[in-house]
Amino acid sequence: MFFLSMLSDAALVLWAGATWAAGYVFAPALFAHFSRDVAGEAAGQMFTALNVLALACAALILLDLRVRFAKQLQYQRELWWVVGLVFLVLVQYIGLAPKMAALKALFPNAQAEAAFGPLHGVSQVLFLLQSGALGYLVWRRFLRKSA
């Protein structure tokens, strides 16, 4: 059980760190050094991999919560934060990413570019929510452990 808890801590830190690095370090660097098309393609692949990593980390965290809090699981605030994050990841991975990829395939069509902008904006807002929620979870989990 202790080993699973340690793995869960590592998964949370990995998820948060990868999210922050991808969104706030690597994606801006890609767009600063490559053409918009190349950077966009690379960023899309990076965020697809990030979504898969996020779902794997979330599964490990949820398993740990289930083992530790079997009878009181539904009362654990962390459970609902992780479930909410999984929902955000799935909206991006299954909902927005395929639509954005289909629109990008139609570029330089003006209508496709016009439709891509709002979807990208929604994706950015969801990413910001994920980033903040992961920061809260990391802070909360390690504040609890240090107390």
Side-chain angles (χ1 to χ4, degrees), residues 43-95:
Q45 293 298 322
M46 179 177 57
F47 287 119
T48 297
L50 178 62
N51 286 333
V52 172
L53 175 73
L55 293 173
C57 289
L60 187 58
I61 294 166
L62 291 171
L63 176 64
D64 174 52
L65 290 171
R66 173 68 176 105
V67 168
R68 282 192 294 141
F69 303 107
K71 299 276 187 205
Q72 308 94 356
L73 184 61
Q74 71 271 20
Y75 303 113
Q76 296 303 310
R77 205 178 296 170
E78 185 175 356
L79 167 76
W80 299 110
W81 278 91
V82 174
V83 168
L85 280 165
V86 168
F87 176 74
L88 291 177
V89 168
L90 289 174
V91 166
Q92 288 185 306
Y93 187 48
I94 295 172

Side-chain angles (χ1 to χ4, degrees), residues 105-129:
L106 299 174
F107 282 12
N109 181 310
Q111 288 179 324
E113 289 185 25
F116 181 85
L119 289 177
H120 189 264
V122 169
S123 181
Q124 287 177 314
V125 168
L126 292 178
F127 190 84
L128 183 62
L129 290 172

